[in-house]
Amino acid sequence: MLAASSLFLAVACTAASSGEDGGGAAACAFAVQFRGELYTRVKYADFTVGDELGSSRRTLCDDTGEDPSSDTAGTETYATYRIEELDAGTAVAVKDTPPGSDRPDRLNLYILQLDGGPPDEAKRFLDAKR
């Protein structure tokens, strides 16, 4: 079992204004597909990592309206772990941070995204950690 982790990485699709015409381009969220569902990286959370569950796949990002620039885009896979505090159907830990980063365990917390946003259980968990 791995030790508790803290995250300070930003997530979200945001519009950034560019050009003289004021047009904007969306900035892509850090997101993965796990067991057929979309999970996005959260900004901050403390969590305890459990057993490995398998792998997740990085989602394709299309923030320009053009085809992805790489033939390997969306093929990256990451080790994915259960977290003690939430069911894997709500949140998982994903080892997607490059070696040599400030995070020795290289894990980030990803929350399931539903049509209405994250599940209520995930919202309560994140609110309790602020």
Side-chain angles (χ1 to χ4, degrees), residues 22-68:
C28 291
F30 292 97
V32 296
Q33 287 284 328
F34 177 67
R35 295 181 179 167
E37 300 289 342
L38 178 67
Y39 288 71
T40 58
R41 193 184 316 175
V42 298
K43 183 177 178 185
Y44 171 78
D46 291 323
F47 59 93
T48 306
V49 179
D51 300 329
E52 186 169 352
L53 297 171
S55 64
S56 55
R57 182 174 307 280
R58 181 175 163 213
T59 60
L60 291 175
C61 180
D62 180 11
D63 64 353
T64 64
E66 298 175 9
D67 289 334

Side-chain angles (χ1 to χ4, degrees), residues 55-58 74-79 95:
S55 64
S56 55
R57 182 174 307 280
R58 181 175 163 213
T75 62
E76 295 175 81
T77 59
Y78 305 107
K95 187 177 265 188

